[in-house]
Amino acid sequence: DEAMWKGVVAQLPTYLDSDGLAKYFPPRAGEAARGSDTLTAYLLAVSHEAAALDPRFALPEAQRRQMEDGLLAFVEGRLQRSFWSPRADLDVRKLAALEALSRTGRAQGRMLSSLTLAPEQWPTHALLDWVQILQRVQDVPQRAQRLEQAQQLLRTRLAFSGTRVGFSTEQGDAWWWLMANTDANAARLLLVAQNEAGWQADMGRLASGLIARQQRGAWQATTANLWGSLALRRFSAKYEADPVSGSTRAQLGSESGRADCPAKGAPPAQFLPWL
């Protein structure tokens, strides 16, 4: 909704602290800078994905640069943010920041020196961040080898139950304080896999498996619903772009109907009133 998006963007400057990091609530006068690196990275990532589908949903340049500058300072150790968490999460938070920065070319391989690289120990959302960093940042040492290893690790975590896609690590993947959950991970995997040749044969199964995770037509978190919507729209644009043509006929008892799809994919002229 472009009008709603413009309304949100108009308020964005009031939600950034003095370091450029986004807050869940507007900062008050005299309040210490307490913007969240996690929220900032999330906003940059999802707006980048949305803008790839429709440029109208890009963040304004001024606020985007301000947020990126804040994340750069956080990654490089010039800016610190300490929040309560049930487990150590600094490396995972820095990975999310670097993934967001990699989308606009502002991440560099040298920035990884402040992290302990242990993909096997990371939750799945951090592993997905790692794969996307390796996809984009060309000067990461041993980049090709690390990307192959990370994708293989993702494959070993995949666990299908019927048509539903899941992960063997689901119990440990619910990092709710970082807005991470398994539904969002499944959606992000669909986005990540679209850029890799080795995943192309799995795309249909990943898409249907993501949809099968819904309950009553929705995924189980606000963030997951956004990631899921973006992932399926990107999937449709890439793999379902060919126009549909032909006719569909259906009959229920004595009633019947027909829907025609023109060759250019326009909406059918007739619909079945009882469906």
Side-chain angles (χ1 to χ4, degrees):
D1 187 310
E2 185 180 5
M4 291 182 67
W5 173 251
K6 287 181 177 179
V8 171
V9 167
Q11 299 179 57
L12 179 60
T14 67
Y15 282 80
L16 302 183
D17 69 12
S18 57
D19 295 313
L21 297 184
K23 289 176 61 72
Y24 291 94
F25 303 96
R28 291 175 292 186
E31 188 178 46
R34 293 286 291 170
S36 167
D37 52 276
T38 298
L39 178 60
T40 307
Y42 169 77
L43 291 173
L44 289 172
V46 294
S47 62
H48 181 266
E49 290 290 348
L53 291 165
D54 187 336
R56 294 177 299 172
F57 295 97
L59 286 174
E61 176 72 12
Q63 280 75 56
R64 180 179 62 80
R65 294 288 297 188
Q66 191 177 353
M67 295 162 75
E68 290 175 355
D69 289 344
L71 288 185
L72 275 173
F74 170 71
V75 169
E76 293 176 344
R78 295 181 283 111
L79 175 64
Q80 296 184 0
R81 286 291 187 273
S82 296
F83 303 103
W84 176 90
S85 64
R87 66 187 74 182
D89 62 4
L90 183 58
D91 281 355
V92 170
R93 288 162 55 197
K94 286 189 175 183
L95 279 170
L98 282 169
E99 191 280 328
L101 292 168
S102 72
R103 293 173 176 271
T104 53
R106 300 195 69 184
Q108 299 178 26
R110 63 173 179 80
M111 297 175 182
L112 293 167
S113 62
S114 65
L115 285 73
T116 299
L117 300 180
E120 298 85 357
Q121 302 174 22
W122 291 337
T124 300
H125 75 271
L127 183 58
L128 289 164
D129 286 333
W130 179 229
V131 170
Q132 292 183 286
I133 291 168
L134 293 170
Q135 286 177 333
R136 302 184 187 114
V137 183
Q138 302 297 312
D139 63 343
V140 174
Q142 299 176 298
R143 172 180 167 270
Q145 179 183 351
R146 283 174 163 164
L147 179 57
E148 182 178 354
Q149 291 173 345
Q151 292 190 81
Q152 184 58 40
L153 185 55
L154 271 177
R155 284 193 177 277
T156 63
R157 294 188 183 189
L158 275 180
F160 283 92
S161 177
T163 60
R164 181 179 183 273
V165 66
F167 301 89
S168 61
T169 55
E170 286 198 24
Q171 287 189 339
D173 281 341
W175 287 47
W176 51 266
W177 66 99
L178 299 184
M179 302 192 298
N181 58 80
T182 306
D183 284 349
N185 290 343
R188 292 187 59 205
L189 175 59
L190 185 62
L191 286 166
V192 169
Q194 291 183 40
N195 299 321
E196 293 293 335
W199 287 91
Q200 297 310 298
D202 303 294
M203 294 308 301
R205 193 179 185 193
L206 290 175
S208 60
L210 170 61
I211 295 171
R213 293 191 64 91
Q214 289 186 333
Q215 297 181 35
R216 298 181 180 180
W219 293 282
Q220 296 304 296
T222 303
T223 51
N225 277 291
L226 179 51
W227 280 120
S229 297
L230 292 170
L232 290 177
R233 290 185 186 188
R234 285 284 297 273
F235 176 87
S236 180
K238 184 172 183 177
Y239 299 97
E240 300 175 335
D242 293 337
V244 176
S245 62
S247 300
T248 300
R249 298 184 65 186
Q251 183 167 340
L252 180 63
S254 60
E255 294 188 60
S256 64
R258 168 176 168 163
D260 296 317
C261 290
K264 293 185 178 181
Q270 301 177 43
F271 294 91
L272 309 183
W274 38 265
L275 284 183

